[in-house]
Amino acid sequence: MSNPIVTMKNVSYAYDNKPTLKDINFEIQRGSFLGLVGPNGGGKTTLIKLLLGLHKPQNGSIQLFGTPIQKFKDWNKIGFVSQKANTFNRGFPATVSEVVSMGLTAKVGYMKFFNQSHKKQIEKAVSQVGMSDYLHENIGDLSGGQQQRIFIARALVSNPDLLILDEPTVGVDTENVQKFYELLHLLNDENGITLLLITHDTGTMTHHATDIACLNKTLHFHGNPSQYTQLSEQDLSAFYGHQLNVVSHHH
Amino acid sequence: MIGHFFEYEFLRNTFYTGLLIGLIAPLLGTFVVVRRLSLIADALSHVTLAGIAFGLLLEKKFALGLSPFYTGMGFSVMASAFVEQLRRVYKAYQELAIPIILSGGVALSVVFISVANGFNTDLYNYLFGSVSAVSRQDLWSILAITIIVLIVITLFFKELFTLSFDEEHAVVSGIHAKRIHFLFIVVTALVIAASIRIVGVLLVSALMTLPVAASIRIANGFKQTMFLSVIFGEISVIIGLVAGYYFEIPPGGTIVLTSILLLLLSILIKRIKFNRARKRAIQ
Ligand SMILES: Nc1ncnc2c1ncn2[C@@H]1O[C@H](COP(=O)(O)OP(=O)(O)O)[C@@H](O)[C@H]1O
Ligand SMILES: [Mg+2]
């Protein structure tokens, strides 16, 4: 019973003439919690940018929710927290509620205004990430971990089916990382949101994700955490090392 | 003193125009500042000068009745389209658009001015603003620009705001960044052209940015910043116009000096508030 909400077939991508992703075949099942791991520069962020339509693959095809990406319009089904989210201009004058409202801008549409029910949705998303007390604070006055939560709220406010988080725990202290994973489980289990989490913290992922995919230019592994922990030293060093032996993978 | 502004028609025109630009310059200026485009406003105002010089040249050489106000506006709007193009070409060096446009504007101005063998005081008025330069016709044009600006900002507020904060996120969520950018920069060009009558080419960007700089640190959130900026903008324009008239100084100077005073005041208020909060926290 497979129900993929993302399908990539034979996808390759190069920046100018620098091949970055090679022949990626890959699915994300509805309701799963997929951890995408791999060394720095392995192409994780690039893969996400392809999924979000920010770059176009030179080869292969991408389907989102069963629709070819070229025709896909329901972008509010996908929530995204960028790797650069917390590099925003800290002096920017915006309250938490104003920042979260940005997640609704496109959904509400051009030349239309926020109404009472949108305000409710904003408050709900802020309370989902446990930040209700800060609704009218300036975003720049919060700590890094709190800001990260607000960006998740901004991604959640449009009620996405798929939430993509690119290295969200970088710069968040250990205690808050723990709380952060609790929040992700809540979203995944209770709200049924499919998660795609990018990290190079492989150890933690095996405790939390339902699926793990390893990316270093090509997809070296895609399976569940127990399969991942059974990978031999050899497999892992091939993956992180210089020889790029392709390990076959099964869906 | 302020009574004169209602007695004489030319002063009345100036006063109303002042109130209009005191509204739209800081309103749009809030977006200009948070997007770090303050210097682009400066670049566009210098191109407007070239357009004005071109208009004055036409007037002098060919007795064409085309008001320099319109040629200035035309140049400024064309330059704004060019700015966007340049920013796309020099993606990694977006600020390069500024010296290119700014020096281009000054160079063209110099050429037009010398071809015309120099102008009289008119040009001085355009550089620093004037209390007596606003005709009834100008007032109507600036009123029209104000209405356009208010409509654009109201209809596209959420998109402009969302794009200003995080462009990548806005694009991913499905907002047409290029079109909104373009609309924004064209409207900015219109506001600059409208403001030049009163504050002059050299100081127009100050009226867009100083009131915002004064409010950004004491306000909570974006809408409050915008609101406070307009208040500061209006106060600067009113005090500046009256003082400029009374002391016979071009109003650009007095308006900008007033906004600098307000800016200093806001820094002081912020400091007092901060110290009080700290005292309370210690107790
Ligand atoms: N905009 C870009 N232009 C050119 N090369 C890029 C660009 N973005 C990333 N790259 C290159 O592509 C490779 C993969 O980068 P990235 O997808 O960011 O990796 P990861 O997210 O796994 O750390 C890196 O070698 C990086 O230098
Ligand atoms: Mg990355």
Side-chain angles (χ1 to χ4, degrees):
Chain A
M1 246 219 350
S2 93
N3 182 9
I5 58 180
V6 173
T7 311
M8 286 189 145
K9 283 206 180 104
N10 305 319
V11 168
S12 297
Y13 185 76
Y15 287 105
D16 301 315
N17 278 318
K18 185 170 162 237
T20 303
L21 292 174
K22 209 180 123 218
D23 213 15
I24 308 282
N25 287 288
F26 172 73
E27 284 183 343
I28 302 177
Q29 302 297 328
R30 187 179 282 278
S32 62
F33 180 167
L34 172 66
L36 182 61
V37 302
N40 271 328
K44 304 182 295 294
T45 300
T46 306
L47 184 88
I48 298 310
K49 290 195 168 163
L50 292 175
L51 275 186
L52 293 169
L54 290 171
H55 298 323
K56 293 192 174 46
Q58 279 95 4
N59 281 308
S61 65
I62 302 175
Q63 289 207 336
L64 301 173
F65 299 89
T67 309
I69 194 166
Q70 300 87 339
K71 292 189 188 141
F72 186 74
K73 291 259 150 54
D74 288 329
W75 289 106
N76 58 55
K77 282 188 176 174
I78 302 179
F80 172 51
V81 180
S82 153
Q83 189 171 9
K84 294 185 308 202
N86 56 5
T87 61
F88 72 100
N89 162 16
R90 257 140 237 267
F92 196 104
T95 63
V96 163
S97 121
E98 284 176 329
V99 170
V100 175
S101 81
M102 296 180 201
L104 282 176
T105 299
K107 193 176 187 181
V108 171
Y110 290 117
M111 300 196 246
K112 299 209 182 75
F113 304 100
F114 291 131
N115 60 30
Q116 221 48 41
S117 105
H118 298 124
K119 295 221 172 80
K120 288 256 156 59
Q121 279 169 260
I122 292 165
E123 284 166 20
K124 188 182 150 213
V126 174
S127 94
Q128 267 182 304
V129 298
M131 291 290 292
S132 293
D133 291 346
Y134 299 87
L135 207 55
H136 302 294
E137 301 268 321
N138 269 327
I139 181 87
D141 295 339
L142 305 182
S143 75
Q146 290 174 323
Q147 286 167 351
Q148 195 60 260
R149 282 174 176 254
I150 299 310
F151 293 127
I152 293 173
R154 178 181 64 173
L156 287 176
V157 71
S158 64
N159 250 331
D161 292 325
L162 170 65
L163 180 60
I164 301 176
L165 303 149
D166 194 351
E167 308 223 17
T169 53
V170 173
V172 179
D173 56 77
T174 343
E175 186 195 341
N176 282 310
V177 168
Q178 193 52 40
K179 282 196 197 147
F180 176 75
Y181 278 109
E182 282 164 25
L183 169 65
L184 292 188
H185 279 297
L186 198 72
L187 296 174
N188 188 229
D189 302 339
E190 315 255 308
N191 302 44
I193 297 175
T194 308
L195 293 178
L196 170 52
L197 178 73
I198 295 174
T199 175
H200 48 241
D201 178 8
T202 323
T204 325
M205 268 340 283
T206 53
H207 298 299
H208 296 285
T210 61
D211 294 88
I212 290 186
C214 301
L215 184 71
N216 188 4
K217 200 165 171 192
T218 63
L219 203 60
H220 289 253
F221 169 84
H222 187 181
N224 61 40
S226 61
Q227 288 169 323
Y228 179 80
T229 46
Q230 282 158 22
L231 287 180
S232 67
E233 283 289 312
Q234 227 174 353
D235 292 334
L236 288 176
S237 70
F239 165 46
Y240 282 103
H242 296 294
Q243 325 139 268
L244 297 180
N245 303 328
V246 180
V247 176
S248 68
H249 61 275
H250 306 276
H251 293 292
Chain B
M1 203 159 58
I2 200 167
H4 287 175
F5 278 86
F6 299 97
E7 244 168 76
Y8 305 114
E9 191 194 335
F10 76 96
L11 281 180
R12 215 162 41 219
N13 291 340
T14 305
F15 193 71
Y16 291 146
T17 305
L19 290 183
L20 292 176
I21 64 168
L23 169 67
I24 55 178
L27 206 58
L28 210 69
T30 313
F31 292 109
V32 170
V33 169
V34 298
R35 303 184 79 158
R36 304 186 191 282
L37 293 179
S38 307
L39 290 170
I40 292 223
D42 247 326
L44 287 181
S45 73
H46 284 79
V47 177
T48 313
L49 177 66
I52 288 166
F54 184 65
L56 290 171
L57 171 68
L58 290 183
E59 232 171 23
K60 191 170 173 185
K61 292 264 153 156
F62 306 100
L64 272 180
L66 194 62
S67 160
F69 174 64
Y70 295 107
T71 48
M73 196 160 75
F75 270 55
S76 169
V77 169
M78 280 190 300
S80 69
F82 194 49
V83 165
E84 277 309 280
Q85 215 52 44
L86 279 177
R87 278 158 61 83
R88 223 166 291 152
V89 173
Y90 291 103
K91 254 196 153 127
Y93 297 99
Q94 295 201 344
E95 74 281 3
L96 262 184
I98 298 160
I100 294 173
I101 299 277
L102 193 145
S103 53
V106 174
L108 274 179
S109 308
V110 169
V111 170
F112 291 140
I113 291 169
S114 54
V115 168
N117 293 323
F119 303 113
N120 45 20
T121 53
D122 247 15
L123 195 68
Y124 185 75
N125 285 344
Y126 282 109
L127 286 181
F128 299 106
S130 154
V131 282
S132 56
V134 184
S135 67
R136 174 171 285 222
Q137 168 93 51
D138 290 343
L139 173 60
W140 286 118
S141 312
I142 290 167
L143 180 64
I145 290 177
T146 303
I147 292 171
I148 293 172
V149 170
L150 290 181
I151 290 176
V152 168
I153 290 189
T154 309
L155 288 183
F156 296 99
F157 177 82
K158 36 181 215 330
E159 285 80 11
L160 285 168
F161 177 53
T162 304
L163 268 174
S164 306
F165 185 74
D166 182 347
E167 178 153 350
E168 184 184 57
H169 184 268
V171 170
V172 166
S173 69
I175 293 170
H176 296 94
K178 273 189 201 162
R179 287 178 222 175
I180 302 285
H181 261 310
F182 186 71
L183 193 64
F184 169 75
I185 199 87
V186 169
V187 172
T188 305
L190 286 178
V191 170
I192 287 169
S195 308
I196 275 175
R197 275 305 205 194
I198 306 272
V199 282
V201 167
L202 298 179
L203 297 171
V204 62
S205 73
L207 186 61
M208 298 188 93
T209 54
L210 291 183
V212 183
S215 54
I216 206 162
R217 295 185 59 236
I218 53 177
N220 223 7
F222 193 80
K223 284 200 178 140
Q224 221 182 74
T225 303
M226 236 178 178
F227 180 77
L228 265 185
S229 305
V230 171
I231 305 265
F232 287 150
E234 292 290 12
I235 294 175
S236 309
V237 166
I238 293 169
I239 294 179
L241 274 181
V242 173
Y245 173 69
Y246 188 72
F247 297 114
E248 294 179 19
I249 299 170
T254 46
I255 289 173
V256 170
L257 284 179
T258 312
S259 21
I260 289 178
L261 279 179
L262 288 174
L263 177 72
L264 294 176
L265 208 63
S266 86
I267 293 175
L268 200 69
I269 290 173
K270 173 89 183 175
R271 180 152 304 165
I272 291 171
K273 263 183 160 178
F274 178 77
N275 283 343
R276 275 216 194 120
R278 203 170 53 178
K279 254 189 210 148
R280 232 178 290 133
I282 292 171
Q283 276 165 5

